[in-house]
Amino acid sequence: MRALSPAEKLKLRQTLDELEQAAPAQSHAIESNWVERHRDKYLGQWVALEGDTLIAHGMKAREIYLAARQAGIACPYIVHITQKADAYIGGW
């Protein structure tokens, strides 16, 4: 195994910077808000979302994933809708 040359390191850094700018991290805040608003209707189901648009829903995660991919979404946001957990309060 050999170390990268300074020119190779520079090229790698430039490529990584370009990739980082091209694909910024998503917070999924819009999807999270959608889940909170529609939790009761889709409780126990898997949902695929694109922003605040429901793409697919059902009981099997794989089917929902495939439906989202078929709809043209390269990296679908998929979540299982569960009961909202109560806040834990510790104490004696």
Side-chain angles (χ1 to χ4, degrees):
M1 185 158 137
R2 69 173 183 85
L4 295 176
S5 70
E8 291 171 321
K9 288 179 184 179
L10 177 61
K11 179 65 177 168
L12 177 59
R13 178 77 269 164
Q14 289 171 337
T15 302
L16 291 173
D17 287 343
E18 289 171 10
L19 288 173
E20 188 175 89
Q21 291 172 3
Q26 294 182 341
S27 70
H28 297 294
I30 294 171
E31 292 87 350
S32 295
N33 288 334
W34 186 97
V35 169
E36 290 305 315
R37 290 190 321 269
H38 299 92
R39 182 179 302 280
D40 293 338
K41 184 174 181 179
Y42 296 97
L43 193 61
Q45 296 186 48
W46 290 89
V47 298
L49 302 168
E50 180 72 5
D52 63 354
T53 302
L54 177 65
I55 305 302
H57 66 93
M59 302 307 285
K60 296 185 178 181
R62 179 165 173 71
E63 291 175 5
I64 302 313
Y65 172 79
L66 293 174
R69 291 299 308 259
Q70 189 172 15
I73 300 170
C75 187
Y77 179 85
I78 297 175
V79 63
H80 187 240
I81 308 293
T82 59
Q83 283 281 38
K84 189 170 185 171
D86 292 332
Y88 175 77
I89 300 174
W92 293 96

